[in-house]
Amino acid sequence: MAQRPPILLIDAPSLYFRAYLGIPESAAKTEDGQPVNAVRGFLDMLAQLIRTRRPDRMVCALDHDWRPAWRVELLPSYKAHRLAPEGGEVVPDTLSPQVPMILDVLEAIGITAVGATGYEADDVLGTLSVTQDAPVEVVSGDRDLFQLVDDVRGVRLLYVGRGVAKLDDCDDAAVRARYGVPADRYADFAALRGDPSDGLPGVPGVGEKTAARLIDRYGGLAGILAALDEPGSGFAPGLRTKLDAARGYLAVAPKVVEVARDVPLPDLATALPAAPAQPERLLELAQRWNLAGSCRRLVDALADRP
């Protein structure tokens, strides 16, 4: 029996932020001068993914809480550098108004978008990756989502670090080749290495190679911490001192990095339509926001699937 097509789980904030940065505002505006570069780029990315991956289902995950309180309670530095003085996330002024536009277009087409109070898009993706029928392809430029890769279940990460046209189709072997650790140990690896983009300090003096070597030798963070208490366990004196000093951080950091897989989500309509659910509304939005080309490419991609 032929394997069914994949469900594409889209990290919407990751893609629309990339679209915003990748297309100049001057190249995509409405008639009254409002930028729509993120909208246009995001829709074109979806069209290309549908043409190349041939999915029969799709869900776009949203950030309803970009900095959940439960993660901040564990690690106050989590994304603190991205916190605006008045509260909320630092987001370009011309990007924020484009997010509702994206959601309106998705609704008119009939592509489901979902978020959850108290959780990030990563957590929604993590939950969908274990609750939706395989095969599953997660599309993101967020390295933390390498931890979702699961060869047994059939979950891959389509990593768009170089763009959708040059995405990296990653299974467990690809994660190992890239970082030297299996996908199910990525959270431990990231905690040790740190990630300035998320406010994770890491262990001073422990970079990617050292983190991977430690995980390979001791099996994971739990094994590393247990070995610290054993005399003659093979740590260089300086490394032992650094790891011992970071025990408090290492006790909470993996919980911050780990993607939730138990987010309460409603029943979702995941099937990709062959034609827009609301064609007249889509036409009106396309004309209002100067998106005719991008909407047509997306509609054509949907119609061209078998």
Side-chain angles (χ1 to χ4, degrees):
M1 183 184 299
Q3 187 182 53
R4 74 176 300 180
I7 180 171
L8 277 189
L9 304 180
I10 307 295
D11 184 348
S14 177
L15 265 61
Y16 64 61
F17 196 81
R18 285 178 175 275
Y20 176 81
L21 295 177
I23 300 175
E25 290 183 11
S26 59
K29 291 186 176 183
T30 63
E31 288 187 1
D32 62 2
Q34 183 176 7
V36 290
N37 52 327
V39 188
R40 186 178 295 181
F42 181 81
L43 297 178
D44 284 343
M45 288 180 186
L46 291 191
Q48 182 164 352
L49 287 164
I50 291 168
R51 285 196 308 270
T52 58
R53 308 309 296 186
R54 316 294 281 181
D56 65 348
R57 298 159 290 152
M58 177 182 286
V59 177
C60 292
L62 306 172
D63 270 336
H64 277 194
D65 193 339
W66 67 279
R67 190 174 182 250
W70 60 272
R71 283 194 167 105
V72 176
E73 185 176 352
L74 289 168
L75 189 68
S77 66
Y78 183 65
K79 295 186 178 180
H81 61 296
R82 290 157 56 180
L83 191 63
E86 67 278 8
E89 185 179 14
V90 176
V91 179
D93 291 340
T94 51
L95 172 59
S96 296
Q98 297 188 57
V99 177
M101 297 181 187
I102 289 171
L103 298 181
D104 281 349
V105 173
L106 290 177
E107 182 180 32
I109 291 174
I111 295 175
T112 293
V114 64
T117 302
Y119 293 97
E120 301 176 54
D122 288 7
D123 302 311
V124 175
L125 294 165
T127 299
L128 292 171
S129 76
V130 299
T131 57
Q132 295 297 310
D133 292 339
V136 174
E137 294 184 340
V138 180
V139 184
S140 179
D142 187 340
R143 295 184 298 175
D144 285 343
L145 294 180
F146 280 112
Q147 66 188 277
L148 298 184
V149 171
D150 185 339
D151 288 357
V152 174
R153 174 160 166 73
V155 181
R156 307 172 77 91
L157 177 67
L158 306 183
Y159 185 64
V160 297
R162 299 180 298 162
V164 169
K166 298 180 180 179
L167 59 80
D168 294 317
D169 184 352
C170 297
D171 58 6
D172 193 73
V175 180
R176 290 174 184 266
R178 183 184 288 263
Y179 294 114
V181 299
D184 64 1
R185 288 290 175 265
Y186 184 86
D188 287 355
F189 169 80
L192 285 163
R193 175 203 62 196
D195 188 344
S197 67
D198 280 343
L200 289 171
V203 178
V206 175
E208 288 195 352
K209 291 183 178 179
T210 301
R213 177 170 53 81
L214 288 169
I215 289 172
D216 180 63
R217 179 167 184 174
Y218 298 103
L221 193 51
I224 294 168
L225 294 175
L228 280 177
D229 297 325
E230 299 175 6
S233 50
F235 294 100
L239 180 58
R240 177 185 289 275
T241 299
K242 292 172 182 175
L243 290 169
D244 198 50
R247 279 181 185 269
Y249 161 75
L250 292 174
V252 298
K255 300 174 187 176
V256 174
V257 179
E258 286 171 3
V259 172
R261 292 171 171 84
D262 58 355
V263 175
L265 297 175
D267 292 335
L268 301 173
T270 63
L272 269 178
Q278 304 173 41
E280 292 183 1
R281 175 162 171 72
L282 180 62
L283 179 61
E284 185 271 325
L285 294 176
Q287 292 175 340
R288 186 200 310 173
W289 292 328
N290 193 22
L291 299 171
S294 293
C295 287
R296 172 51 55 193
R297 285 187 285 275
L298 182 50
V299 170
D300 287 347
L302 290 170
D304 286 344
R305 290 175 302 130

